[in-house]
Amino acid sequence: MKVKVCGITKAEQIRKLEKLEIEYLGFINIKRSKRFVEMDKITSFENQLSSKRMGTLVLEPSNPYDVILKSNRTRIFNIQLHCLTPFHIKYLHWINRYHNFERMKITKAIGLKDKNGKEKQHELENHALYCDNILLDYMKDGLTGGTNTHIPIDEAIRARNIIKNIDGKTQVTLAGGLNYEYLESIMDKLHYFDRIDLNSGVEDSPGIKNIKEVKRIMKLIDEI
């Protein structure tokens, strides 16, 4: 299982997290987020990474071209989107081939509630066709990200199964206020997911990660 720590705002935390062999670090360029980071700072963070496939640029763009511009500026090609339709994502892949030699890997964040119906099923199915990874987060007030709320695990597994039935190669990430205690309580169900996303559940304050808590979780994940 791969681990992403999202909402990084301090350079000194990058070095500490790299030592824990985290696969991905997320930098949020969404102004509504408490963990918002300016583009120049994100570029600086990316330049400090030992692995150039570790950084993830988290965006809520108005159109695909905005993604291309910001990806080119930061040289980050792991993109996490909190908007755009499947058609836009398909188009994004197409235009990226004419702008970069690097393949863009797209994660789409999709919000789940305590109960989810047919409309959400169709959303999951449509995005599974064009995304490398679907991040399942809790939806609160119509928004995803930083809610510090767990998705009911059975709903998350049901969503995961919908995605995998469409394309087994599409990875699925579990997010939503994940902390050590919650992950320990669902250990027997974590194998359903390809990745976990740590953010608000491992913070001392917004954007400041508790490195000891992340380390505890990494040891827990090693047991799966």
Side-chain angles (χ1 to χ4, degrees):
M1 173 174 284
K2 295 181 179 179
V3 177
K4 171 169 158 275
V5 178
C6 199
I8 304 299
T9 60
K10 299 292 182 183
E12 56 268 27
Q13 293 213 310
I14 291 175
R15 292 183 285 275
K16 293 176 181 178
L17 289 166
E18 279 192 312
K19 290 179 180 178
L20 299 181
E21 299 183 355
I22 304 291
E23 281 84 7
Y24 303 102
L25 296 179
F27 311 124
I28 300 175
N29 187 246
I30 299 175
K31 288 192 174 180
R32 66 177 172 84
S33 174
K34 297 176 182 178
R35 302 157 187 88
F36 170 76
V37 180
E38 296 282 359
M39 291 299 295
D40 286 345
K41 196 172 183 180
I42 291 175
T43 302
S44 174
F45 287 169
E46 173 65 11
N47 290 336
Q48 294 177 50
L49 294 177
S50 57
S51 170
K52 295 308 176 185
R53 273 296 183 180
M54 192 178 192
T56 299
L57 184 58
V58 183
L59 301 172
E60 199 169 61
S62 57
N63 59 72
Y65 288 102
D66 190 32
V67 181
I68 292 291
L69 290 172
K70 291 184 175 182
S71 177
N72 286 346
R73 181 173 172 181
T74 59
R75 307 308 295 167
I76 297 176
F77 297 95
N78 294 321
I79 308 296
Q80 179 177 314
L81 297 172
H82 284 255
C83 63
L84 297 187
T85 65
F87 172 80
H88 284 139
I89 293 170
K90 181 181 179 182
Y91 183 61
L92 176 58
H93 279 300
W94 185 79
I95 60 176
N96 181 64
R97 287 184 295 176
Y98 295 94
H99 287 267
N100 297 299
F101 292 108
E102 295 239 18
R103 181 180 180 274
M104 188 175 282
K105 292 189 176 180
I106 302 294
T107 292
K108 177 64 189 294
I110 294 182
L112 300 179
K113 298 179 181 179
D114 293 339
K115 295 291 182 182
N116 300 276
K118 286 288 185 183
E119 185 177 347
K120 185 61 62 174
Q121 179 177 338
H122 294 324
E123 182 182 0
L124 292 163
E125 289 173 341
N126 291 335
H127 281 91
L129 293 170
Y130 303 111
C131 297
D132 301 278
N133 176 43
I134 303 292
L135 183 144
L136 304 174
D137 204 348
Y138 194 84
M139 178 177 283
K140 191 173 184 178
D141 299 326
L143 299 172
T144 58
T147 63
N148 201 25
T149 305
H150 308 316
I151 304 168
I153 192 60
D154 290 339
E155 281 298 302
I157 292 171
R158 191 177 78 85
R160 176 264 183 201
N161 290 341
I162 290 169
I163 294 163
K164 293 292 187 179
N165 284 339
I166 295 297
D167 189 341
K169 293 181 180 179
T170 303
Q171 296 203 324
V172 181
T173 297
L174 179 66
L178 303 182
N179 55 32
Y180 181 89
E181 290 72 22
Y182 180 67
L183 289 169
E184 187 178 41
S185 74
I186 60 168
M187 272 284 286
D188 60 329
K189 297 180 178 180
L190 282 177
H191 67 276
Y192 284 101
F193 305 96
D194 302 291
R195 310 180 189 180
I196 59 169
D197 188 284
L198 306 177
N199 192 348
S200 56
V202 295
E203 288 185 330
D204 293 325
S205 61
I208 307 301
K209 310 306 174 186
N210 186 312
I211 304 299
K212 289 183 179 179
E213 282 301 293
V214 177
K215 188 174 182 179
R216 287 179 73 206
I217 290 172
M218 293 300 291
K219 288 182 178 178
L220 184 70
I221 296 302
D222 285 343
E223 298 174 12
I224 297 176

